[in-house]
């Protein structure tokens, strides 16, 4: 499987990231998949999930204390 060309991808910083908290996440829409990465180290790579799996991940994370 070929890696997608991310040079034209529009990455957005999460609205929950900010300040000096150190937890900065960026997301991008990659042809029907949602990708996310560390905004402080974008060259380290990203994780891309289907929209359904991304929604399930968010639901699981927000359900935790």
């Amino acid at each position: 499987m070929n890696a997608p060309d991310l040079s034209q991808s529009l990455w957005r910083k999460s609205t929950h990231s900010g300040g000096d908290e150190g937890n900065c996440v960026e997301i991008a829409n990659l042809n029907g998949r949602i990708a996310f990465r560390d905004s402080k180290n974008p060259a380290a790579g990203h994780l891309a999930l289907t929209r359904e799996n991304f929604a399930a991940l968010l639901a699981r994370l927000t359900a935790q204390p």
Side-chain angles (χ1 to χ4, degrees):
M1 182 174 178
N2 293 334
D5 176 16
L6 303 177
S7 63
Q8 300 299 315
S9 298
L10 178 62
W11 290 89
R12 297 180 292 128
K13 191 171 184 180
S14 169
T15 57
H16 295 283
S17 297
D20 295 323
E21 296 145 12
N23 297 322
C24 301
V25 175
E26 292 178 319
I27 60 171
N29 182 356
L30 302 180
N31 296 326
R33 292 187 177 265
I34 303 298
F36 52 104
R37 67 183 183 185
D38 182 349
S39 65
K40 296 180 307 277
N41 190 8
H46 69 279
L47 179 63
L49 301 173
T50 64
R51 291 183 177 277
E52 294 81 15
N53 287 342
F54 187 71
L57 173 65
L58 290 180
R60 179 96 182 231
L61 291 174
T62 57
Q64 295 184 7

